[in-house]
Amino acid sequence: GAVVSQHPSRVICKSGTSVKIECRSLDFQATTMFWYRQFPKQSLMLMATSNEGSKATYEQGVEKDKFLINHASLTLSTLTVTSAHPEDSSFYICSARDPGQGGETQYFGPGTRLLVL
Amino acid sequence: AQSVTQPDIHITVSEGASLELRCNYSYGATPYLFWYVQSPGQGLQLLLKYFSGDTLVQGIKGFEAEFKRSQSSFNLRKPSVHWSDAAEYFCAVGAWGNTPLVFGKGTRLSVIA
């Protein structure tokens, strides 16, 4: 099946710094990627839809200036958590649609654990 | 409104016993249905999916699911559970195009000896 990678797998940073998370589709081109946030023992919360070459679409309540998304190529989307604070600590997961599968199947990355001190 | 309900938050089964995880959905368009599994600290792995055709779909790791339109259900089954199946299971519904998936809250499966 299609493979999606994320980097880094975990990151610890100080409050006020910015953190960039990369999401890559390794064996397919993804015009659309999704960013999710997951709190412990909870389901995934969609943050935004990332479209290659255009602005991301953010879900209601997600601060677009706080969570910057860039989808510069068909295989890479990045999420930058700007001026991170402890409440931003969470598990961030990206997914990508594989157009070879009809575009309806999403494949998920392994996630990035962010801890803000 | 689009929604997915997984009525069971936590299920415990004995190793070797059969398993059924329930999923009900509410979706206005023709739904595409998915089951994903997540091990602790990991991303989601696709178990199986239903788009159309045969309502009984086979997935990886010996899992299967049956789509019942009349009941708006897509229950996941496995005839004999292994200890390695202990994980969180998510049911999701989507549609054609760039529509994001809608996830259920998940069912945590514990397997005892």
Side-chain angles (χ1 to χ4, degrees):
Chain A
V3 179
V4 176
S5 70
Q6 274 184 248
H7 177 81
S9 59
R10 59 178 60 204
V11 57
I12 302 173
C13 69
K14 293 182 179 180
S15 184
T17 61
S18 294
V19 175
K20 179 184 284 188
I21 303 170
E22 293 185 348
C23 177
R24 294 181 184 272
S25 56
L26 297 186
D27 50 1
F28 65 99
Q29 293 183 325
T31 56
T32 302
M33 292 183 175
F34 302 92
W35 287 96
Y36 296 84
R37 183 173 179 177
Q38 186 179 33
F39 292 101
K41 300 187 185 301
Q42 294 191 26
S43 188
L44 284 75
M45 181 191 78
L46 178 67
M47 299 176 66
T49 301
S50 172
N51 298 298
E52 188 268 335
S54 64
K55 292 183 178 180
T57 302
Y58 290 82
E59 295 300 299
Q60 191 172 10
V62 177
E63 300 175 61
K64 61 181 181 181
D65 295 330
K66 174 114 181 123
F67 299 98
L68 300 179
I69 291 173
N70 186 294
H71 195 151
S73 77
L74 287 172
T75 59
L76 173 64
S77 176
T78 60
L79 168 68
T80 302
V81 183
T82 62
S83 186
H85 288 92
E87 59 266 28
D88 299 324
S89 298
S90 192
F91 192 56
Y92 293 88
I93 307 177
C94 72
S95 71
R97 287 187 183 276
D98 181 358
Q101 297 283 330
E104 293 79 16
T105 302
Q106 286 188 36
Y107 293 91
F108 286 80
T112 297
R113 175 82 53 197
L114 171 63
L115 177 61
V116 184
L117 302 177
Chain B
Q2 305 157 1
S3 66
V4 177
T5 302
Q6 293 180 247
D8 304 304
I9 297 173
H10 183 204
I11 285 181
T12 300
V13 298
S14 299
E15 189 169 18
S18 63
L19 170 70
E20 182 170 31
L21 302 182
R22 296 182 291 167
C23 172
N24 293 94
Y25 68 90
S26 173
Y27 205 77
T30 301
Y32 297 114
L33 295 156
F34 306 84
W35 275 99
Y36 289 88
V37 61
Q38 184 181 34
S39 296
Q42 302 294 315
L44 275 68
Q45 181 182 23
L46 179 67
L47 283 177
L48 47 77
K49 59 188 177 185
Y50 172 78
F51 289 170
S52 64
D54 193 345
T55 56
L56 184 64
V57 293
Q58 303 297 320
I60 62 172
K61 304 184 180 185
F63 285 93
E64 66 178 27
E66 186 171 12
F67 170 60
K68 293 185 177 180
R69 185 184 298 275
S70 61
Q71 298 178 18
S72 297
S73 69
F74 189 56
N75 294 348
L76 181 72
R77 301 193 293 250
K78 186 170 184 177
S80 177
V81 170
H82 189 262
W83 64 267
S84 60
D85 293 325
E88 189 85 19
Y89 291 79
F90 292 97
C91 180
V93 63
W96 183 87
N98 288 331
T99 308
L101 293 179
V102 176
F103 283 89
K105 292 187 181 298
T107 297
R108 183 161 62 95
L109 174 65
S110 296
V111 181
I112 58 176

